[in-house]
Amino acid sequence: MSEYVRNLWYVAAWVGEVPDGGVLARTLLDVPYIIYRLGDGSYAMLHDRCPHRFVPLSKGRREGDRIVCGYHGLQFDGAGRCVHTEFRGDPPASAKVATLPIVERHGALWFWPGDAEAADPATIPDFSFLQGPQPMARSHLTMRGNYELVTDNLMDLSHAEFIHIESFGVNGSLFGGEHSVIQDDDGAIWNNWDMTGCEPPEWSKPMLDPGAKVDMWLHMRWHAPASMALSVGVAKAGTDRQEMIVPQLLNPHIITPETKNSSHYFYDHEPTEAAAEMARKVFVEEDEPMIEAAHDALAGTDFWDARPVILPSDAGAIRARRRLMQLRSREREGQAVSA
């Protein structure tokens, strides 16, 4: 599998996942970390390993803004410095835990695993819609499979016609729609499906007159490495998308590698048990088995070495993969990365 692009923002967690007065332990990009909120409201992200005897700091405890190692009592502040020891003398200068820049934006915690001096929060992708007027529940799951395989799935929404027939079926309308891939000036790649005068989804038919047609659109926006936002709309046909059947849906689909072989998936849904169950059905029962099967079938073989057949509907996913290849190449050559 290809190496990670380091000089980019990744999501570590939703804010609500970090326990009050405690720490969140999570493996990200193959490295275990702890994340916790400091007294001033900012966050700290430390390597989950004491530099003394390498015991995970998550096995220790918090004392205010300090993390106390449970093995020998060394205390570390939010900057990773050892600021106290129960033994005589000052802590050794080498007693320091690696940290990463981490900031809160749009209810998520974003971290920067590359050159800390290059970490500009202004370059975090815009997910401000997450702070809209409608309350949403934010969820997280992990799945087996490299994060680029998960991106492939999300950047090719044609799979909805095959594996989401019951949950999200669009009655074959994608095949008669217009497919386009667009790249913004800020590096975002849009994979768009637009269907005009098509058969409505089954769930929408009770809201329409018999035989009525709809205009639908499914637009997926991708920012490197794998921060995606989905826009879904269904409107009465011929109304210039003004008479919506339901309000337009805007949802995050943000993927962060846990390891080379597993991925964190950050998403949201309406704050009801029915909506949570539908999300689990779509992601866990329908998407996940296919992604895991593809991951297992590759068995460590590089995606391109496997010589994949490329269909027209793959254009967005392939564009994203090639963009990551360019970013990796720039980092290897020591050039500044612009996502």
Side-chain angles (χ1 to χ4, degrees):
M1 295 295 181
S2 301
E3 70 270 27
Y4 303 122
V5 181
R6 297 286 172 179
N7 289 303
L8 290 173
W9 290 103
Y10 293 76
V11 167
W14 294 119
V15 167
E17 293 185 273
V18 180
D20 291 338
V23 302
L24 173 69
R26 178 159 286 172
T27 296
L28 301 155
L29 280 63
D30 299 300
V31 179
Y33 293 98
I34 56 169
I35 300 163
Y36 65 103
R37 187 173 184 175
L38 300 170
D40 64 3
S42 64
Y43 288 83
M45 183 172 180
L46 280 65
H47 189 184
D48 191 11
R49 190 176 75 180
C50 179
H52 174 223
R53 287 291 179 264
F54 315 120
V55 169
L57 292 172
S58 56
K59 290 186 174 293
R61 67 182 189 278
R62 275 192 66 172
E63 287 189 1
D65 283 353
R66 297 181 179 183
I67 302 296
V68 183
C69 179
Y71 201 3
H72 294 90
L74 298 183
Q75 297 184 17
F76 301 89
D77 65 11
R81 297 172 298 224
C82 185
V83 293
H84 179 75
T85 173
E86 298 293 339
F87 301 93
R88 290 184 179 180
D90 295 329
S94 59
K96 184 172 175 59
V97 178
T99 64
L100 293 182
I102 183 168
V103 296
E104 178 184 353
R105 287 291 186 279
H106 318 308
L109 296 175
W110 300 77
F111 71 101
W112 182 275
D115 177 5
E117 293 185 359
D120 180 3
T123 62
I124 292 174
D126 181 11
F127 281 86
S128 55
F129 67 82
L130 289 170
Q131 298 170 306
Q134 182 179 1
M136 299 290 282
R138 295 176 180 176
S139 296
H140 158 263
L141 60 85
T142 58
M143 62 174 62
R144 193 173 77 254
N146 182 268
Y147 77 104
E148 289 191 72
L149 288 176
V150 186
T151 299
D152 291 341
N153 177 73
L154 290 163
M155 287 295 282
D156 175 19
L157 295 174
S158 68
H159 75 268
E161 297 280 18
F162 302 97
I163 67 173
H164 299 317
I165 295 173
E166 295 182 7
S167 59
F168 192 56
V170 285
N171 289 329
S173 58
L174 278 178
F175 303 125
E178 296 293 327
H179 179 225
S180 60
V181 178
I182 303 166
Q183 184 159 339
D184 285 350
D185 291 340
D186 69 349
I189 295 172
W190 290 82
N191 190 69
N192 298 341
W193 287 92
D194 294 275
M195 293 75 73
T196 303
C198 61
E199 185 72 15
E202 290 298 326
W203 60 262
S204 69
K205 288 184 176 181
M207 309 175 194
L208 298 163
D209 293 332
K213 303 297 184 181
V214 297
D215 296 336
M216 290 194 296
W217 58 98
L218 290 80
H219 295 174
M220 185 70 83
R221 185 196 73 192
W222 174 91
H223 280 91
S227 298
M228 286 159 280
L230 174 64
S231 170
V232 179
V234 183
K236 292 182 179 180
T239 66
D240 196 26
R241 299 186 176 182
Q242 295 304 304
E243 294 188 34
M244 303 288 291
I245 308 303
V246 293
Q248 180 171 258
L249 301 177
L250 293 169
N251 300 106
H253 296 267
I254 303 174
I255 315 301
T256 298
E258 179 185 49
T259 68
K260 296 289 194 303
N261 299 309
S262 58
S263 302
H264 296 285
Y265 196 145
F266 300 95
Y267 63 98
D268 72 358
H269 53 79
E270 293 181 352
T272 66
E273 184 52 41
E277 184 57 36
M278 176 59 74
R280 286 192 292 269
K281 176 178 176 60
V282 172
F283 301 143
V284 177
E285 297 179 21
E286 297 175 348
D287 281 328
E288 186 172 2
M290 289 296 184
I291 294 167
E292 292 184 345
H295 179 84
D296 291 345
L298 283 170
T301 303
D302 179 77
F303 176 83
W304 296 107
D305 290 344
R307 301 179 65 82
V309 172
I310 306 299
L311 302 177
S313 58
D314 296 322
I318 295 301
R319 186 85 64 91
R321 278 186 173 271
R322 287 176 175 164
R323 181 61 178 150
L324 287 175
M325 290 170 65
Q326 293 170 351
L327 295 175
R328 292 186 191 103
S329 179
R330 291 184 184 183
E331 287 198 344
R332 284 194 298 267
E333 295 169 2
Q335 301 177 19
V337 170
S338 176

